[in-house]
């Protein structure tokens, strides 16, 4: 492990509890709990150029920076490097400087992670306008779809609110989702108009052994 | 903030008006023999009478406390007693808001009305209900003079709250209300609102008896003492509001609210202006106005542009100080300090506020380049407060600018003595420069913070006005320690749940500490929320018991891969401050957040947590949030200005 970032925020539900880790050889692994790119386990490998970029940022950063207080509402962000051990980086906002640059690059790795689903579930929009949960990756994932909370938010033009909907779908309970698995969730909401974009969220539970982890898969087509 | 059903601190979708429910536990005084200390026990049995006795009492109660009470006659809380006509009357502004208060209390509304001063359908329905039940015809839903007079009469006829005599050892909500009121009249140190008549409360009661009632103390909150407390401080009781008879705890005003974040020591509120700093805009206007007031000759043109004449005048001002300031042409902290003395008032101003806050036991800040940047201008027909934002990343949706105005533009400054009034408008503008706030606009949804907003935030109508509040220097009003809660809201912490579960507070405190040592937030939640602890007086007894425990150091732990992942944590020396320790020792998850919520205080205002605290009395933007700007009006225009609903 050359870098590990954990972001945690218990003020919202489902909680944000996400991690990304980079190994010496560029292996990229992690977990997403509230994400546009699917929720669950992710694993892949960074191309050599990206790995070199991360290594350069780590090299430039050097010793841990002086502590910086995070802004109001900031989530907890802990970046762990071999050289420094855990460092709280929530107060390091985007900007000049080696550590802010490293912090920003680390946060981007969480998004990069979703290009490499291993055992994950995402949500998309069906041609009929409903929400569809779909397995992503190669490995099966156990999910609890006993109750799935679904929201749909419609936008017109440049993020002008065009209505929203929230509901609960009673699903099949615990199921194992593998490759090709999908599950459709009806939405009681049909926004009209040619330039309307609909965003979706679906809250359910992923099982990791005996541990139940509430997650939120999001569909934000423009994100 | 993310989606509509997400439980984020302040960004819940609007719910039907709910309430802070007081507990339903035992209310009568219960004697607990052995509580208190020997001195107070002796007091109750009859201490020496006369001056010698009073002198002894002075020593017991503490001289500083006497001084406070004597210096502060029993009316600093302002307003009327919770007797008919008093609650809410005149305290919150507009006539519609007053009407809403009365309609809720008369149970004419279905549910407690949100006191927003807006005559909407719910208010109108309540007026109709009242007219129907009072036999007023025709039923119009309009609060005409006849209806209004009838509402006023019915409100005036509401019975005053029944007060119970309290003595050492008493417990229950009434004890909590008395503690609130003793705090409001100046108890020093402040009493914890724990709903237990303990030795600390006895000291405050005795001091108040002597200083305010001028009587030989009997150490009880009897009818006379209640009358004095109720006359001096309004609120502090539970009213059944709406036809639903929903119990709503009435806020107890205490002190003068200061809703601003704590300014970082040694910092200036003025941005560096002139050479090497801002050379145009409101800061330069302020500089030119103050230099003119301080005697600039020739008088500067107030054009907001830092040119050679302004520079020369600034250098002359700097050289003219005794001892002289370096004539740098840069208005730095020392120069602004001198200018503020020479010219306290101006019609335009720029603020760069460096501040911190403690929320949920953690410290947050807006400092350095991330400080709150805003400006104000007193115009002919209004005061305009502007926060300029440099939106980076994506463009800001147009609706965001309207959200700020819809939430914030509800007040006017009023100088009662002269009858002058001036609307106070707030504006978020888009632009760059050294006096702009930087906000990253991110794609999709997520939990916004003061410097990072999400373009598709479905709760933007609340998120953006909340974060705008931070840009004008206001701090959060959720998960606060009691002292911070009083300071920022101007009212006492609620009594809330006084009874608690059938588990002793010290047992819960010990269980919490064990959970922290084990870094186990589920155990902390189970020991508190799961055991039936709700926010309020009982929870504060747990806080007090926790502070008495021997402190230990929680060893460092490595990261846990999870899921859910938990970051590596350094060793945490526990401090005895429950909020601080819970935050430092436990993972940041739902269990720890809800546990911290239970032992802290949150308001329902736009700067608080309306998703978790629905308070019809304290919601949206409140007059206290405009405190800085009405003070500026007073300096610039003279008089004593207050924020009132338009
Ligand atoms: Zn905030």
């Amino acid at each position: 492990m050359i870098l590990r970032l954990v972001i945690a925020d218990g003020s919202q539900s489902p909680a944000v509890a996400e991690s990304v880790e980079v190994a010496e050889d560029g292996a990229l692994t992690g977990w997403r709990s509230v994400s546009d790119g699917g929720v669950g386990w992710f694993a892949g490998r960074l191309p050599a150029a990206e790995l070199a970029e991360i290594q350069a940022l780590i090299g430039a950063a050097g010793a841990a920076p002086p502590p910086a207080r995070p802004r109001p509402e900031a989530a907890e962000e802990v970046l762990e490097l071999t050289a420094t051990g855990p460092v709280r980086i929530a107060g390091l906002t985007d900007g000049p400087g080696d550590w802010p640059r490293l912090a920003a690059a680390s946060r981007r790795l969480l998004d990069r992670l979703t290009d490499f689903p291993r055992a994950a579930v995402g949500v998309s929009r069906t041609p009929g306008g409903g929400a569809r949960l779909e397995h992503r990756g190669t490995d099966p994932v156990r999910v609890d779809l006993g109750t799935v909370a679904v929201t749909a938010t419609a936008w017109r033009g440049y993020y002008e609110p065009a209505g929203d909907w929230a509901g609960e779908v009673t699903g099949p309970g615990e199921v194992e989702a593998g490759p090709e698995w999908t599950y459709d969730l009806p939405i009681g909401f049909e926004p009209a108009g040619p330039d309307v974009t609909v965003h979706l969220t679906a809250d359910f539970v992923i099982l990791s052994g005996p541990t139940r982890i509430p997650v939120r898969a999001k569909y934000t087509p423009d994100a | 903030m993310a989606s509509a059903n997400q439980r984020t601190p302040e960004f819940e979708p609007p719910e039907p008006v709910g309430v802070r429910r007081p507990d339903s536990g035992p209310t009568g005084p219960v004697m607990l023999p052995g509580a208190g200390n020997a001195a107070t026990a002796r007091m109750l049995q009859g201490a020496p009478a006369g001056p010698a006795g009073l002198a002894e009492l002075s020593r017991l109660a503490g001289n500083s406390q006497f001084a406070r009470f004597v210096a502060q006659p029993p009316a600093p809380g302002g307003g009327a007693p919770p007797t008919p006509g008093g609650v809410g009357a005149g305290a919150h502004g507009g006539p519609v808001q007053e009407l809403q208060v009365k309609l809720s209390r008369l149970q004419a509304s279905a549910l407690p009305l949100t006191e927003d001063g807006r005559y909407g359908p719910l208010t109108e329905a309540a007026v109709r209900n009242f007219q129907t039940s009072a036999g007023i015809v025709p039923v119009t839903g309009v609060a005409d003079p006849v209806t209004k007079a009838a509402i006023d009469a019915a409100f005036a006829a509401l019975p005053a709250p029944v007060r119970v005599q309290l003595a050492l050892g008493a417990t229950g909500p009434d004890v909590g209300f008395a503690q609130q009121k003793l705090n409001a009249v100046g108890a020093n140190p402040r009493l914890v609102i724990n709903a237990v008549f303990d030795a600390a409360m006895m000291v405050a009661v005795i001091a108040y008896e002597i200083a305010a009632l001028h009587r030989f103390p009997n150490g009880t909150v009897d009818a006379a003492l209640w009358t004095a407390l109720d006359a001096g401080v309004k609120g502090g009781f539970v009213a059944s509001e709406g036809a639903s008879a929903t119990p709503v705890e009435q806020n107890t005003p205490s002190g003068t609210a200061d809703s601003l974040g704590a300014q970082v020591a040694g910092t200036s509120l003025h941005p560096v202006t002139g050479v090497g700093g801002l050379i145009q805009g409101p800061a330069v206007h302020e500089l030119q106005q103050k230099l003119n007031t301080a005697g600039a000759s020739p008088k500067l043109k107030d054009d907001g542009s830092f040119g050679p004449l302004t520079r020369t005048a600034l250098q002359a001002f700097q050289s003219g100080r005794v001892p002289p300031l370096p004539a740098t042409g840069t208005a730095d902290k020392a120069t602004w300090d001198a200018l503020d003395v020479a010219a306290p008032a101006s019609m335009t101003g720029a603020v760069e506020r460096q501040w911190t806050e403690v929320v949920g036991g953690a410290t947050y800040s807006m400092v350095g380049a991330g400080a709150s940047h805003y400006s104000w201008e007193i115009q002919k027909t209004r005061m305009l407060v502007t926060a300029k934002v440099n939106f980076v990343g994506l463009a800001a949706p147009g609706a965001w600018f309207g959200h700020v105005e819809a939430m914030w533009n509800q007040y006017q400054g009023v100088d009662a003595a002269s009858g002058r009034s001036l609307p106070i408008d707030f504006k978020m503008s888009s632009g760059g420069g050294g006096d702009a706030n930087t906000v990253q606009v991110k794609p999709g949804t997520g939990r916004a913070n003061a410097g990072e907003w999400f373009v598709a935030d479905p709760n933007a109508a609340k998120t953006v006005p909340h974060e705008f509040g931070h840009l004008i220097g206001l701090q959060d009003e959720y998960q606060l320690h009691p002292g911070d809660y009083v300071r920022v809201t101007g009212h006492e912490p609620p009594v809330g749940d006084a009874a608690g579960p059938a588990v002793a507070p010290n047992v819960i405190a010990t269980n919490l500490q064990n959970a922290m040592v084990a870094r186990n937030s589920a155990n902390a939640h189970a020991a508190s929320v799961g055991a039936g602890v709700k926010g309020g007086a009982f929870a504060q007894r747990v806080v007090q018991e926790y502070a008495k425990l021997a402190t230990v150091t929680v060893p460092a732990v490595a990261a846990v891969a999870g899921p859910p992942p938990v970051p590596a944590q350094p060793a945490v020396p526990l401090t005895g401050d429950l909020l601080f320790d819970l935050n430092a020792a436990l993972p940041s998850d739902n269990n720890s957040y809800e546990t911290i919520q239970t032992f802290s205080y949150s308001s329902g205002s736009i700067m608080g947590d309306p998703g978790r605290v629905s308070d019809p009395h304290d919601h949206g933007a409140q007059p206290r949030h405009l405190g800085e700007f009405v003070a500026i009006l007073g300096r610039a225009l003279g008089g004593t200005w207050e924020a009132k609903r338009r």
Side-chain angles (χ1 to χ4, degrees):
Chain A
M1 190 277 287
I2 59 170
L3 175 153
R4 175 193 291 127
L5 174 67
V6 182
I7 297 187
D9 182 359
S11 70
Q12 55 179 18
S13 186
V16 174
E18 310 199 306
S19 64
V20 61
E21 196 174 310
V22 182
E24 285 86 344
D25 62 356
L28 186 73
T29 53
W31 164 267
R32 296 293 309 261
S33 66
V34 178
S35 158
D36 305 301
V39 288
W41 289 269
F42 298 80
R45 189 173 298 274
L46 283 178
E50 282 181 55
L51 176 62
E53 203 178 308
I54 292 292
Q55 283 168 325
L57 285 168
I58 292 171
R69 301 284 190 199
R71 291 179 296 218
E73 274 89 60
E76 180 180 38
E77 300 181 335
V78 178
L79 181 62
E80 210 175 330
L81 306 175
T82 319
T84 61
V87 178
R88 290 173 183 273
I89 61 162
L92 297 178
T93 50
D94 293 4
D98 293 328
W99 268 94
R101 270 200 291 274
L102 174 61
S106 308
R107 293 177 190 120
R108 282 195 298 273
L109 284 175
L110 265 177
D111 292 327
R112 188 74 171 97
L113 198 55
T114 58
D115 295 332
F116 307 102
R118 180 166 70 81
V121 174
V123 63
S124 64
R125 194 157 180 246
T126 64
R132 172 172 293 164
L133 294 177
E134 56 198 19
H135 178 267
R136 292 178 189 171
T138 50
D139 296 1
V141 51
R142 253 195 112 60
V143 293
D144 185 343
L145 304 181
T147 305
V148 183
V150 184
T151 71
T153 311
W155 305 98
R156 181 176 292 114
Y158 189 68
Y159 297 99
E160 294 167 41
D164 53 35
W165 178 87
E168 284 194 343
V169 176
T170 303
E174 285 188 26
V175 296
E176 184 165 283
E180 310 296 312
W181 174 90
T182 64
Y183 186 82
D184 283 4
L185 304 159
I187 288 184
F189 176 59
E190 256 184 70
D195 65 339
V196 168
T197 304
V198 176
H199 292 182
L200 303 170
T201 69
D203 295 2
F204 53 97
V205 169
I206 293 183
L207 294 121
S208 172
T211 308
R212 302 168 55 82
I213 305 135
V215 292
R216 168 170 297 174
K218 302 193 288 190
Y219 171 70
T220 47
D222 39 5
Chain B
M1 321 309 93
S3 297
N5 62 340
Q6 198 165 339
R7 291 195 71 78
T8 55
E10 48 268 354
F11 327 104
E12 199 76 342
E15 287 173 32
V17 170
V19 292
R20 198 150 64 201
R21 285 171 195 284
D23 83 310
S24 50
T27 54
V30 181
M31 286 304 294
L32 295 180
N37 56 34
T40 47
R42 191 153 83 80
M43 190 76 44
L44 293 168
Q45 290 155 11
L54 279 175
E56 183 175 337
L57 290 173
S58 296
R59 283 192 297 278
L60 169 67
N63 288 325
S64 67
Q65 198 168 51
F66 276 93
R68 289 266 324 246
F69 282 140
V70 172
Q72 241 177 311
T83 43
V87 178
H92 297 283
V96 175
Q97 189 174 10
E98 267 179 56
L99 188 67
Q100 289 168 328
V101 172
K102 291 174 181 174
L103 290 166
S104 291
R105 291 288 308 284
L106 293 168
Q107 304 186 326
S109 56
L111 292 167
L113 290 171
T114 298
E115 293 159 14
D116 59 3
R118 291 175 183 176
Y119 203 102
L122 296 177
T123 304
E124 188 186 324
V127 171
R128 285 179 184 277
N129 278 347
F130 180 84
Q131 288 172 323
T132 303
S133 60
I136 296 171
V137 285
V139 172
T140 59
V142 174
D144 52 52
V146 172
T147 303
K148 223 182 145 299
I151 289 172
D152 289 347
F155 185 73
L158 283 173
V162 176
R163 298 299 194 186
V164 181
Q165 176 157 336
L166 307 169
L168 188 67
T171 61
D174 280 319
V175 178
F177 296 137
Q179 290 171 325
Q180 290 178 330
K181 295 194 175 214
L182 287 164
N183 281 340
V185 297
N188 182 26
R190 286 182 47 80
L191 300 175
V192 174
I193 309 301
N194 63 7
V196 176
F197 196 146
D198 51 15
M201 178 168 172
M202 174 64 81
V203 171
V205 166
I206 289 170
Y208 187 69
E209 289 187 83
I210 296 166
L213 298 190
H214 309 294
R215 75 180 187 192
F216 192 85
N218 62 29
T220 65
V221 181
D222 56 14
L225 203 130
W226 270 121
T227 299
L229 287 176
D230 282 342
V233 186
K234 64 182 187 137
F237 63 103
V238 175
S240 293
E241 295 195 4
S244 56
T246 309
V248 179
E249 187 174 333
Q250 309 292 303
N251 289 328
T252 302
S254 186
T256 303
D258 175 2
S259 305
L260 293 163
Q263 191 185 348
V264 175
T267 60
S268 174
L269 291 176
H270 296 279
V272 174
T273 307
V275 176
L278 298 172
I279 53 167
Q280 58 186 9
V284 178
H285 279 291
E286 182 175 13
L287 179 66
Q288 291 168 329
Q289 290 171 16
K290 292 199 165 189
L291 286 170
N292 281 340
T293 306
S297 178
K299 263 209 173 337
L300 296 170
K301 191 174 161 203
D302 179 9
D303 62 1
S305 184
F306 189 84
L309 294 177
T310 306
R311 179 180 175 155
T312 304
L314 175 57
Q315 288 171 319
F317 175 81
Q318 290 173 320
S319 308
R321 296 305 94 198
V322 182
L325 293 165
T328 56
T330 304
D332 55 5
K333 180 175 189 300
T335 304
W336 277 114
D337 286 348
L339 273 167
D340 287 343
V341 172
S346 59
M347 297 300 276
T348 306
V351 184
E352 182 180 298
R353 185 176 289 275
Q354 319 265 343
W355 59 274
T356 65
E357 63 175 9
V358 177
V359 170
T363 303
Y364 300 87
S365 72
M366 292 187 70
V367 294
S372 300
H373 295 86
Y374 50 105
S375 63
W376 49 267
E377 186 184 0
I378 301 170
Q379 303 172 341
K380 278 203 175 64
T381 56
R382 64 172 181 170
M383 182 181 201
L384 179 62
V385 179
T386 305
K388 185 164 60 164
V389 181
N390 183 17
F391 290 103
V392 298
L394 300 175
W400 286 2
F401 300 88
H403 293 327
V404 168
E405 296 181 18
M407 174 62 68
W408 285 100
N409 294 358
Q410 301 183 39
Y411 291 93
Q412 57 185 336
V414 175
D415 174 37
S418 69
R420 290 175 295 176
S421 69
L422 208 55
I424 302 177
D425 282 346
F426 292 84
K427 184 180 175 185
M428 181 168 77
S429 70
S430 185
D435 53 356
N437 304 278
T438 298
V439 170
Q440 299 266 347
V441 181
K442 301 248 170 172
T445 61
R447 183 172 180 246
N449 66 50
E452 198 174 280
W453 304 357
F454 288 84
V455 73
D457 181 351
N459 291 326
K462 283 193 173 170
T463 310
V464 170
H466 174 93
E467 303 303 345
F468 177 86
H470 290 320
L471 301 185
I472 57 170
L474 299 171
Q475 77 155 77
D476 283 305
E477 296 180 358
Y478 57 89
Q479 297 205 335
L480 302 181
H481 287 93
D484 286 338
Y485 179 86
V486 176
R487 173 178 57 81
V488 302
T489 66
H491 49 78
E492 286 290 317
V495 173
D497 181 8
V503 188
N506 63 336
V507 173
I508 295 170
T510 302
N511 291 342
L512 284 169
Q513 193 184 61
N514 291 339
M516 286 182 237
V517 169
R519 304 266 191 184
N520 190 320
S521 58
N523 284 0
H525 189 271
S528 53
V529 182
V533 180
K534 299 183 178 70
F538 178 84
Q540 295 308 306
R541 302 215 282 277
V542 176
V543 172
Q544 289 180 297
E545 291 298 326
Y546 178 78
K548 293 180 195 163
L549 297 179
T551 56
V552 293
T553 292
V554 182
V557 284
V560 178
V566 180
Q569 299 281 0
V572 175
L574 298 181
T575 63
D577 177 323
L578 182 58
L579 300 184
F580 179 87
D581 289 353
L582 288 169
N583 174 68
L586 296 179
S588 177
D589 57 18
N590 287 162
N591 282 326
S592 60
Y593 194 86
E594 286 168 19
T595 304
I596 290 170
Q597 182 78 12
T598 301
F599 295 106
S600 58
Y601 293 103
S602 303
S603 93
S605 85
I606 185 64
M607 298 313 295
D609 187 353
R612 288 180 171 85
V613 180
S614 301
D615 183 344
H617 307 293
D618 192 352
H619 62 89
Q622 288 293 302
R624 62 176 180 266
H625 297 138
L626 286 81
E628 177 176 19
F629 306 110
V630 291
I632 288 169
L633 286 175
R635 277 202 299 278
L637 306 178
T640 304
W641 294 70
E642 276 183 280
K644 302 257 190 197
R645 272 189 192 278
R646 293 181 192 169

